Amino acid sequence: MNDTPNDSTTPTGSETVVVIVEDDPNIADLVELYLRRDGFRPFQAGTGERALEVIAERKPKLILLDIGLPGELDGLDVCRSVRATSNVPIIFLTARDDEVDRVLGLELGADDYVTKPFSPRELVARVKTILRRSDGPVEPSPAAVDLGEGIVINGARREATVGGDAVALATREFDLAMYLAEHRGLALSRRQLLDGVWGADWIGDDRTVDVHVRQLRKKLGDGFHLETVWGVGYRLD
Ligand code: CA
């Protein structure tokens, strides 16, 4: 995919609002520049407190969220607060490996993360990938997959229901649930799941899959028969 801003004659962002939460103005301005060139409408916030105001006001389609922020609220606090009411995709901007561990370990429903220093072009490519997913998959998913035990994965509404009650799933959690549902009975390796759900160009590791699997098990409960296949990965029965 060629996503060099200068080569792009047709903006792809279509005025999609993205909030950049980042206290380093150099990084924030650079990311804003790249997003703007691709047709997005970026807004910046330099503190966690300001981020919550801007997010409430602008209602972004996606949030880029730095973890280390000045003031009372760090990026993880912002994520928690946003997640209380919304499944808007969030990409964390992490500075160190231990921050990656915190993002994954806290199971906050991050949709992706990039480690600084990152290429703004790569970041914009990830933004587009995630927005394509959250706008609805390119290939039509089945309207609904009934997994039994009262669990239904609803492709049109991008939610799961357990016993008729809607369960909020983050973007990647939903994608993973749908992918597993569409490959029921097959043992899938973590690499296959990463490729199938996150995309072959996604630079991540097996922990990401495991964290999302834990979230799905927690949210969908005992009726969700996702088996760990030792030495391989996972199989939905
Ligand atoms: Ca920072």
Side-chain angles (χ1 to χ4, degrees):
M1 177 169 67
N2 189 345
D3 54 67
T4 306
N6 292 334
D7 295 342
S8 176
T9 48
T10 312
T12 52
S14 315
E15 297 285 295
T16 300
V17 172
V18 174
V19 169
I20 307 163
V21 185
E22 168 63 67
D23 61 303
D24 182 330
N26 295 321
I27 297 177
D29 287 349
L30 188 64
V31 170
E32 171 168 343
L33 178 73
Y34 270 75
L35 285 170
R36 212 174 272 292
R37 281 178 175 176
D38 245 312
F40 291 92
R41 278 186 77 202
F43 294 93
Q44 290 188 27
T47 67
E49 289 80 356
R50 183 74 191 125
L52 292 180
E53 290 170 9
V54 174
I55 290 164
E57 187 184 338
R58 300 295 178 181
K59 301 191 176 25
K61 284 280 197 292
L62 185 141
I63 300 168
L64 300 172
L65 186 51
D66 182 29
I67 294 184
L69 295 169
E72 295 293 310
L73 303 176
D74 69 10
L76 301 178
D77 296 324
V78 172
C79 180
R80 232 174 261 123
S81 177
V82 168
R83 276 287 171 266
T85 57
S86 156
N87 281 328
V88 60
I90 294 176
I91 301 178
F92 273 105
L93 311 178
T94 62
R96 300 181 308 271
D97 261 5
D98 61 307
E99 286 188 347
V100 174
D101 289 340
R102 288 171 68 201
V103 168
L104 295 175
L106 283 171
E107 305 181 357
L108 287 169
D111 292 281
D112 207 345
Y113 63 86
V114 296
T115 308
K116 296 176 190 173
F118 53 81
S119 136
R121 199 189 302 175
E122 164 71 15
L123 178 63
V124 171
R126 295 223 195 161
V127 166
K128 289 191 216 164
T129 302
I130 288 186
L131 287 174
R132 266 201 304 274
R133 286 169 190 279
S134 55
D135 278 353
V138 178
E139 292 167 25
S141 282
V145 180
D146 188 344
L147 297 179
E149 305 266 5
I151 300 175
V152 177
I153 309 291
N154 189 323
R157 301 179 60 177
R158 295 187 63 80
E159 68 177 17
T161 50
V162 178
D165 295 327
V167 175
L169 298 179
T171 309
R172 298 285 201 190
E173 290 167 5
F174 176 84
D175 290 337
L176 178 61
M178 186 53 99
Y179 192 85
L180 288 164
E182 287 172 339
H183 296 82
R184 247 182 302 174
L186 296 176
L188 300 166
S189 71
R190 291 175 176 81
R191 189 68 247 173
Q192 281 175 303
L193 292 169
L194 281 175
D195 288 352
V197 176
W198 280 262
D201 54 346
W202 195 80
I203 307 143
D205 58 43
D206 296 354
R207 287 180 299 177
T208 307
V209 175
D210 295 338
V211 167
H212 283 74
V213 161
R214 266 209 304 283
Q215 283 293 90
L216 282 182
R217 282 175 168 155
K218 196 160 80 185
K219 289 182 173 180
L220 301 180
D222 293 339
F224 183 60
H225 296 302
L226 182 62
E227 308 301 328
T228 302
V229 183
W230 198 83
V232 180
Y234 297 99
R235 182 184 62 234
L236 186 63
D237 289 330

